[in-house]
Amino acid sequence: MRNRRRRLSITACCLFGAALLAAAGCSASGKSASNGAGASESSGVAGASMAGPVVDINVTPSAVASRPKPWVLSTPQSAVRSYLDWISYAYRTGNSSAAKATMISYEEVRVDSYVQFNIEKTQLIDQTLTSITFGKPSVGSTSTLVPAKETWT
C-alpha cells in the first residue's frame, strides 16, 4: 500500500509538471497537449524504439482502436486520470510512447522498460480503470499530492 501511495505521489508530481508545461504551451511530444495528437498507434511489431530486441506481437485492431479520450493536464486530478487512461493504452498496445505526453522523462523510462519487459515475455496487459475517487489534494511549492482510491479490471 505504501508503494502504491508513493507511486501515486510520484505520478501526481510528474503529471503536475506536465500540466505546467502544457499551460505554458509546451508538450512532451512537441505537439499540442490539448488534443492528444502526439500519441501514435501500434503497428503490431513492438520493441523497435525500446532498449530490448524487436519482438513480433499480435496487437488486436480492437486494442489499437480503444484509444482513450485526449489527455487533459489542466488540473492534478485530470492529469492523473489522463495518465492512468493513456498508460493503460500503452500497456494494452505495447506502445509506451502513446502515453508520453502524460509523464515526465523519468516516468517514461520506467514505463518503457515495463512495456519492453512484457513484450519480451510475449504478453501485453489489458487493464481498465473502472472507478477512481480523489481525496483532498496537498499542494506543495513544486508538486501536488493527490490521494486516490482506484478500482481496476
Side-chain angles (χ1 to χ4, degrees):
M1 182 55 100
R2 179 178 282 242
N3 281 341
R4 179 79 170 166
R5 285 185 189 156
R6 184 171 182 211
R7 276 185 274 151
L8 188 55
S9 174
I10 290 170
T11 300
C13 290
C14 296
L15 293 173
F16 186 68
L20 289 175
L21 287 173
C26 303
S27 74
S29 67
K31 300 197 186 264
S32 172
S34 63
N35 66 8
S40 60
E41 294 184 6
S42 174
S43 65
V45 178
S49 65
M50 300 178 195
V54 175
V55 178
D56 288 332
I57 57 171
N58 181 21
V59 179
T60 65
S62 63
V64 174
S66 67
R67 292 176 66 92
K69 294 177 186 173
W71 51 81
V72 177
L73 308 176
S74 56
T75 68
Q77 293 86 347
S78 65
V80 169
R81 179 60 198 238
S82 292
Y83 168 81
L84 295 174
D85 288 346
W86 280 94
I87 201 69
S88 295
Y89 181 75
Y91 291 160
R92 186 170 42 256
T93 61
N95 180 5
S96 60
S97 65
K100 185 176 182 176
T102 65
M103 62 184 119
I104 64 171
S105 59
Y106 172 80
E107 184 68 10
E108 182 183 354
V109 170
R110 293 168 41 103
V111 169
D112 189 59
S113 296
Y114 187 60
V115 168
Q116 182 63 36
F117 169 79
N118 283 302
I119 288 171
E120 289 175 10
K121 300 280 186 200
T122 64
Q123 64 188 18
L124 297 172
I125 297 173
D126 190 3
Q127 64 182 27
T128 303
L129 181 65
T130 55
S131 71
I132 187 167
T133 306
F134 293 105
K136 182 180 178 187
S138 173
V139 180
S141 61
T142 60
S143 64
T144 299
L145 175 64
V146 184
K149 182 177 180 183
E150 306 164 17
T151 305
W152 292 86
T153 56

